[in-house]
Amino acid sequence: MHEHEHGSHGPLAGFTVGVTAARRADELGALLERRGAAVQHAPALRIVPLADDAELLDATKALIGHAPDVVVATTAIGFRGWLEAADGWGYGEELLDRLRAAQVLARGPKVKGAVRAAGLTEEWSPASDSMAEVLDRLLGQDMTGRRVALQLHGEPLPGFVEALRAAGAEVVVVPVYRWMPPEDLAPLDRLIDATVSRSLDAVTFTSAPAGASMLARAQDRGLLPDLLDALRHDVLAACVGPVTALPLQAHGIDTVQPARFRLGPLVQSLCQELPSRARTLPVAGRRIEIRGHAVLVDGDLRPVPPAGMSLLHSLARRPGWVVSRADLLRALPGAGRDEHAVETAMARLRSALGAPKLIQTVVKRGYRLALDPEADAKYADA
């Protein structure tokens, strides 16, 4: 979509998007904000280096003692971290000697850079960052009896190790980092609460452990059923790719994923998906589009406070029908029992919309959206 189609606001204006990423969260947040979204960030994970970890030391010693035929480098930060840890243990030179003699496959351009910076040369690297292409490349060779060192970055690669072993390879997994829950859980708790209360329109996931971590934390707080309900029906779960979506899909949550597994296309898919899910109605000769925390009135973006959005959602559920003050009071977050709160919130909503005729007061009965007559028939049976 082109910028001029949205006037001065971006395609995500009026929507709030949650970001669960630990790595590259700033980059993703900036891409979303540039397109008009409000962003709520809560890292669902932290990545802990394993320099003191016995598993990485054992894998390193095993490869020095019995050299690999193939080395798969999956991330630049992880590959560098492995070599640095080996240096720290006094095994740096021996490890490099073993790697020099092996066939090195580097997943994507960044990893290729890290391999070359270490004085090694990769035999092959896919044009994309696709692990599937790396696997196809290996399975195209006879893998019988070949020893493969697979450098992991935090998360396991479902099916990758199994496919190599089924083809007769011996796989040594080199775990350089581990995912852990975040040290400060408060931001994640706020993100879960915002999802449950529907104050978010979408949540983005860039790794499988981030989704698993958010679900596990909700379960610890007794909120898992509420979180699943929100993600299944009202809050869009957007994943960078199919592996990332697995923990969510296991709970019956539908996700959207871009065709190319990158941050840019992930944001683009939100730019298409969120506006298409917004409710658009012809009201009092205007076209209104109801977004998460704002309304487009004939294409003009009008931010609306949360209480006003709650009222508007109640009125839009049955457009053109009268909604009583008592029903509207129930929709107001924390309003108590005083129907005067509805009048105050309604006055603010009308002034935020800048077009008072959009909502009619029906004396002694309540309020209604002033749906255009030709649209009435369409919504009468809604």
Side-chain angles (χ1 to χ4, degrees):
M1 261 185 211
H2 301 296
E3 199 59 44
H4 61 77
E5 287 176 40
H6 303 281
S8 59
H9 58 81
L12 294 180
F15 294 113
T16 308
V17 179
V19 170
T20 58
R23 291 170 66 221
R24 302 182 71 191
D26 294 346
E27 186 182 343
L28 179 53
L31 286 172
L32 290 164
E33 283 170 354
R34 205 174 300 145
R35 284 157 183 79
V39 173
Q40 184 172 340
H41 176 230
L45 304 163
R46 63 195 159 104
I47 302 167
V48 183
L50 300 189
D52 57 344
D53 193 280
E55 270 179 80
L56 180 59
L57 178 57
D58 287 347
T60 304
K61 282 180 175 170
L63 292 167
I64 289 168
H66 178 183
D69 302 300
V70 180
V71 177
V72 179
T74 60
T75 59
I77 188 171
F79 191 73
R80 280 197 303 270
W82 180 22
L83 297 181
E84 282 163 16
D87 266 343
W89 292 318
Y91 291 118
E93 274 312 309
E94 288 172 273
L95 177 61
L96 278 173
D97 284 344
R98 295 290 179 269
L99 300 184
R100 264 186 214 106
Q103 171 191 358
V104 178
L105 304 187
R107 181 194 68 115
K110 276 190 184 166
V111 193
K112 187 158 68 172
V115 167
R116 290 186 178 179
L120 301 167
T121 310
E122 79 291 344
E123 180 189 271
W124 178 81
S125 178
S128 72
D129 284 347
S130 159
M131 281 306 279
E133 278 189 53
V134 175
L135 184 59
D136 287 346
R137 173 86 178 189
L138 288 170
L139 295 179
Q141 311 168 13
D142 180 5
M143 296 305 293
T144 313
R146 299 192 79 198
R147 190 166 165 82
V148 179
L150 174 63
Q151 171 256 312
L152 288 179
H153 181 87
E155 62 191 285
L157 298 161
F160 196 95
V161 174
E162 292 82 347
L164 287 175
R165 285 184 177 146
E170 182 193 349
V171 182
V172 179
V173 172
V174 181
V176 187
Y177 287 78
R178 181 158 297 150
W179 298 107
M180 302 281 282
E183 278 179 70
D184 178 9
L185 285 163
L188 182 57
D189 286 345
R190 284 196 292 273
L191 194 73
I192 291 168
D193 294 341
T195 307
V196 167
S197 69
R198 277 65 169 175
S199 19
L200 293 181
D201 299 290
V203 185
T204 59
F205 298 94
T206 52
S207 74
S213 172
M214 187 177 183
L215 295 168
R217 179 61 185 164
Q219 181 151 27
D220 289 348
R221 295 178 59 209
L223 289 173
L224 185 59
D226 297 339
L227 180 66
L228 293 177
D229 186 64
L231 290 171
R232 282 174 188 152
H233 300 115
D234 301 300
V235 181
L236 180 68
C239 297
V240 77
V243 172
T244 295
L246 290 172
L248 299 164
Q249 286 172 346
H251 284 276
I253 296 164
D254 287 332
T255 62
V256 298
Q257 297 156 33
R260 290 174 59 242
F261 311 146
R262 297 276 198 294
L263 295 187
L266 174 66
V267 172
Q268 263 325 103
S269 63
L270 284 175
C271 291
Q272 286 150 8
E273 194 69 31
L274 285 179
S276 75
R277 291 161 70 106
R279 194 79 192 271
T280 301
L281 296 166
V283 180
R286 309 286 190 97
R287 182 176 174 277
I288 69 163
E289 183 183 318
I290 301 168
R291 294 188 165 194
H293 62 259
V295 178
L296 293 182
V297 179
D298 287 341
D300 285 337
L301 189 73
R302 317 283 311 197
V304 174
M309 285 312 294
S310 301
L311 294 183
L312 192 56
H313 283 300
S314 296
L315 294 170
R317 227 164 260 134
R318 306 203 67 186
W321 292 62
V322 177
V323 183
S324 71
R325 281 183 176 76
D327 283 349
L328 289 170
L329 184 64
R330 272 195 290 277
L332 275 184
R337 293 187 185 166
D338 183 2
E339 286 189 7
H340 184 63
V342 173
E343 286 159 34
T344 308
M346 188 60 75
R348 286 191 184 137
L349 169 59
R350 282 173 163 155
S351 105
L353 293 174
K357 290 182 181 167
L358 295 178
I359 300 168
Q360 288 176 343
T361 304
V362 182
V363 180
K364 295 192 175 158
R365 287 182 58 210
Y367 299 91
R368 68 183 282 270
L369 270 187
L371 200 67
D372 287 343
E374 67 272 17
D376 264 338
K378 180 179 169 189
Y379 291 102
D381 304 317

mmCIF file of all heavy atoms in Angstrom, residues 94-116:
data_model
loop_
_atom_site.group_PDB
_atom_site.id
_atom_site.type_symbol
_atom_site.label_atom_id
_atom_site.label_comp_id
_atom_site.label_asym_id
_atom_site.label_seq_id
_atom_site.Cartn_x
_atom_site.Cartn_y
_atom_site.Cartn_z
ATOM 1 N N GLU A 94 43.016 -25.488 18.301
ATOM 2 C CA GLU A 94 42.693 -26.871 17.914
ATOM 3 C C GLU A 94 41.341 -26.947 17.220
ATOM 4 O O GLU A 94 41.166 -27.667 16.229
ATOM 5 C CB GLU A 94 42.685 -27.775 19.151
ATOM 6 C CG GLU A 94 44.069 -28.066 19.718
ATOM 7 C CD GLU A 94 43.950 -28.795 21.051
ATOM 8 O OE1 GLU A 94 43.842 -28.128 22.090
ATOM 9 O OE2 GLU A 94 43.939 -30.048 21.019
ATOM 10 N N LEU A 95 40.371 -26.187 17.753
ATOM 11 C CA LEU A 95 39.034 -26.193 17.149
ATOM 12 C C LEU A 95 39.101 -25.647 15.718
ATOM 13 O O LEU A 95 38.548 -26.250 14.781
ATOM 14 C CB LEU A 95 38.049 -25.361 17.994
ATOM 15 C CG LEU A 95 36.631 -25.247 17.413
ATOM 16 C CD1 LEU A 95 35.978 -26.623 17.282
ATOM 17 C CD2 LEU A 95 35.760 -24.335 18.276
ATOM 18 N N LEU A 96 39.816 -24.519 15.536
ATOM 19 C CA LEU A 96 39.927 -23.933 14.199
ATOM 20 C C LEU A 96 40.588 -24.911 13.218
ATOM 21 O O LEU A 96 40.184 -25.001 12.052
ATOM 22 C CB LEU A 96 40.716 -22.622 14.243
ATOM 23 C CG LEU A 96 39.895 -21.383 14.657
ATOM 24 C CD1 LEU A 96 40.800 -20.183 14.832
ATOM 25 C CD2 LEU A 96 38.804 -21.068 13.637
ATOM 26 N N ASP A 97 41.600 -25.642 13.682
ATOM 27 C CA ASP A 97 42.248 -26.653 12.824
ATOM 28 C C ASP A 97 41.232 -27.676 12.323
ATOM 29 O O ASP A 97 41.237 -28.047 11.144
ATOM 30 C CB ASP A 97 43.361 -27.394 13.596
ATOM 31 C CG ASP A 97 44.615 -26.527 13.727
ATOM 32 O OD1 ASP A 97 44.723 -25.529 12.978
ATOM 33 O OD2 ASP A 97 45.473 -26.846 14.586
ATOM 34 N N ARG A 98 40.364 -28.135 13.238
ATOM 35 C CA ARG A 98 39.344 -29.136 12.865
ATOM 36 C C ARG A 98 38.343 -28.529 11.868
ATOM 37 O O ARG A 98 37.933 -29.183 10.910
ATOM 38 C CB ARG A 98 38.580 -29.631 14.106
ATOM 39 C CG ARG A 98 39.439 -30.393 15.086
ATOM 40 C CD ARG A 98 39.849 -31.758 14.536
ATOM 41 N NE ARG A 98 40.690 -32.492 15.471
ATOM 42 C CZ ARG A 98 42.017 -32.440 15.493
ATOM 43 N NH1 ARG A 98 42.657 -31.659 14.634
ATOM 44 N NH2 ARG A 98 42.712 -33.155 16.350
ATOM 45 N N LEU A 99 37.963 -27.280 12.125
ATOM 46 C CA LEU A 99 36.959 -26.638 11.260
ATOM 47 C C LEU A 99 37.529 -26.364 9.862
ATOM 48 O O LEU A 99 36.820 -26.425 8.866
ATOM 49 C CB LEU A 99 36.438 -25.330 11.888
ATOM 50 C CG LEU A 99 35.763 -25.457 13.264
ATOM 51 C CD1 LEU A 99 35.213 -24.114 13.734
ATOM 52 C CD2 LEU A 99 34.630 -26.479 13.250
ATOM 53 N N ARG A 100 38.836 -26.061 9.805
ATOM 54 C CA ARG A 100 39.476 -25.787 8.511
ATOM 55 C C ARG A 100 39.430 -27.011 7.599
ATOM 56 O O ARG A 100 39.333 -26.883 6.380
ATOM 57 C CB ARG A 100 40.955 -25.398 8.718
ATOM 58 C CG ARG A 100 41.162 -23.914 8.763
ATOM 59 C CD ARG A 100 42.625 -23.512 8.817
ATOM 60 N NE ARG A 100 42.724 -22.306 9.638
ATOM 61 C CZ ARG A 100 43.210 -22.265 10.871
ATOM 62 N NH1 ARG A 100 43.698 -23.356 11.427
ATOM 63 N NH2 ARG A 100 43.245 -21.132 11.538
ATOM 64 N N ALA A 101 39.516 -28.178 8.204
ATOM 65 C CA ALA A 101 39.559 -29.417 7.414
ATOM 66 C C ALA A 101 38.157 -29.900 7.018
ATOM 67 O O ALA A 101 38.020 -30.843 6.244
ATOM 68 C CB ALA A 101 40.265 -30.502 8.233
ATOM 69 N N ALA A 102 37.112 -29.237 7.578
ATOM 70 C CA ALA A 102 35.738 -29.704 7.327
ATOM 71 C C ALA A 102 35.075 -28.909 6.203
ATOM 72 O O ALA A 102 35.542 -27.841 5.812
ATOM 73 C CB ALA A 102 34.915 -29.561 8.611
ATOM 74 N N GLN A 103 33.973 -29.449 5.702
ATOM 75 C CA GLN A 103 33.128 -28.738 4.740
ATOM 76 C C GLN A 103 32.215 -27.812 5.563
ATOM 77 O O GLN A 103 31.436 -28.296 6.388
ATOM 78 C CB GLN A 103 32.299 -29.783 3.978
ATOM 79 C CG GLN A 103 31.210 -29.231 3.099
ATOM 80 C CD GLN A 103 30.268 -30.345 2.604
ATOM 81 O OE1 GLN A 103 30.453 -31.523 2.897
ATOM 82 N NE2 GLN A 103 29.270 -29.960 1.853
ATOM 83 N N VAL A 104 32.353 -26.488 5.387
ATOM 84 C CA VAL A 104 31.572 -25.545 6.202
ATOM 85 C C VAL A 104 30.399 -25.006 5.387
ATOM 86 O O VAL A 104 30.579 -24.486 4.284
ATOM 87 C CB VAL A 104 32.454 -24.358 6.685
ATOM 88 C CG1 VAL A 104 31.618 -23.371 7.489
ATOM 89 C CG2 VAL A 104 33.628 -24.876 7.515
ATOM 90 N N LEU A 105 29.184 -25.153 5.935
ATOM 91 C CA LEU A 105 27.992 -24.558 5.326
ATOM 92 C C LEU A 105 27.539 -23.412 6.228
ATOM 93 O O LEU A 105 27.363 -23.598 7.431
ATOM 94 C CB LEU A 105 26.864 -25.590 5.192
ATOM 95 C CG LEU A 105 27.163 -26.879 4.424
ATOM 96 C CD1 LEU A 105 25.894 -27.699 4.243
ATOM 97 C CD2 LEU A 105 27.768 -26.578 3.060
ATOM 98 N N ALA A 106 27.351 -22.233 5.642
ATOM 99 C CA ALA A 106 26.969 -21.053 6.434
ATOM 100 C C ALA A 106 25.562 -20.629 6.036
ATOM 101 O O ALA A 106 25.300 -20.372 4.866
ATOM 102 C CB ALA A 106 27.953 -19.910 6.171
ATOM 103 N N ARG A 107 24.645 -20.581 7.011
ATOM 104 C CA ARG A 107 23.262 -20.209 6.706
ATOM 105 C C ARG A 107 23.165 -18.693 6.522
ATOM 106 O O ARG A 107 23.055 -17.949 7.483
ATOM 107 C CB ARG A 107 22.342 -20.639 7.852
ATOM 108 C CG ARG A 107 20.876 -20.309 7.625
ATOM 109 C CD ARG A 107 20.086 -20.454 8.903
ATOM 110 N NE ARG A 107 20.457 -19.435 9.877
ATOM 111 C CZ ARG A 107 19.644 -18.492 10.300
ATOM 112 N NH1 ARG A 107 18.428 -18.397 9.830
ATOM 113 N NH2 ARG A 107 20.040 -17.613 11.203
ATOM 114 N N GLY A 108 23.236 -18.235 5.294
ATOM 115 C CA GLY A 108 23.004 -16.821 4.996
ATOM 116 C C GLY A 108 24.229 -15.937 5.103
ATOM 117 O O GLY A 108 25.278 -16.328 5.613
ATOM 118 N N PRO A 109 24.105 -14.698 4.584
ATOM 119 C CA PRO A 109 25.234 -13.782 4.425
ATOM 120 C C PRO A 109 25.916 -13.362 5.731
ATOM 121 O O PRO A 109 27.142 -13.288 5.794
ATOM 122 C CB PRO A 109 24.617 -12.562 3.745
ATOM 123 C CG PRO A 109 23.240 -12.944 3.344
ATOM 124 C CD PRO A 109 22.851 -14.185 4.035
ATOM 125 N N LYS A 110 25.138 -13.115 6.797
ATOM 126 C CA LYS A 110 25.754 -12.675 8.064
ATOM 127 C C LYS A 110 26.659 -13.766 8.625
ATOM 128 O O LYS A 110 27.741 -13.513 9.143
ATOM 129 C CB LYS A 110 24.673 -12.358 9.102
ATOM 130 C CG LYS A 110 24.098 -10.966 8.975
ATOM 131 C CD LYS A 110 23.238 -10.666 10.181
ATOM 132 C CE LYS A 110 22.572 -9.309 10.028
ATOM 133 N NZ LYS A 110 21.491 -9.114 10.987
ATOM 134 N N VAL A 111 26.176 -15.005 8.533
ATOM 135 C CA VAL A 111 26.933 -16.144 9.069
ATOM 136 C C VAL A 111 28.215 -16.332 8.251
ATOM 137 O O VAL A 111 29.283 -16.598 8.795
ATOM 138 C CB VAL A 111 26.080 -17.433 9.033
ATOM 139 C CG1 VAL A 111 26.730 -18.517 9.871
ATOM 140 C CG2 VAL A 111 24.677 -17.158 9.558
ATOM 141 N N LYS A 112 28.079 -16.157 6.921
ATOM 142 C CA LYS A 112 29.230 -16.274 6.025
ATOM 143 C C LYS A 112 30.310 -15.271 6.452
ATOM 144 O O LYS A 112 31.496 -15.589 6.495
ATOM 145 C CB LYS A 112 28.754 -15.988 4.591
ATOM 146 C CG LYS A 112 29.794 -16.236 3.538
ATOM 147 C CD LYS A 112 29.161 -16.458 2.158
ATOM 148 C CE LYS A 112 28.507 -15.204 1.594
ATOM 149 N NZ LYS A 112 28.079 -15.419 0.192
ATOM 150 N N GLY A 113 29.871 -14.059 6.824
ATOM 151 C CA GLY A 113 30.809 -13.025 7.296
ATOM 152 C C GLY A 113 31.558 -13.478 8.537
ATOM 153 O O GLY A 113 32.776 -13.276 8.659
ATOM 154 N N ALA A 114 30.834 -14.108 9.474
ATOM 155 C CA ALA A 114 31.464 -14.566 10.727
ATOM 156 C C ALA A 114 32.446 -15.709 10.453
ATOM 157 O O ALA A 114 33.509 -15.788 11.072
ATOM 158 C CB ALA A 114 30.383 -15.012 11.709
ATOM 159 N N VAL A 115 32.087 -16.583 9.522
ATOM 160 C CA VAL A 115 32.962 -17.715 9.162
ATOM 161 C C VAL A 115 34.272 -17.182 8.571
ATOM 162 O O VAL A 115 35.371 -17.591 8.959
ATOM 163 C CB VAL A 115 32.233 -18.657 8.167
ATOM 164 C CG1 VAL A 115 33.206 -19.642 7.525
ATOM 165 C CG2 VAL A 115 31.113 -19.417 8.880
ATOM 166 N N ARG A 116 34.133 -16.204 7.668
ATOM 167 C CA ARG A 116 35.339 -15.659 7.014
ATOM 168 C C ARG A 116 36.179 -14.841 7.995
ATOM 169 O O ARG A 116 37.410 -14.847 7.908
ATOM 170 C CB ARG A 116 34.933 -14.800 5.822
ATOM 171 C CG ARG A 116 34.375 -15.673 4.708
ATOM 172 C CD ARG A 116 34.094 -14.885 3.463
ATOM 173 N NE ARG A 116 33.599 -15.756 2.405
ATOM 174 C CZ ARG A 116 33.241 -15.341 1.203
ATOM 175 N NH1 ARG A 116 33.326 -14.049 0.917
ATOM 176 N NH2 ARG A 116 32.816 -16.187 0.298
#
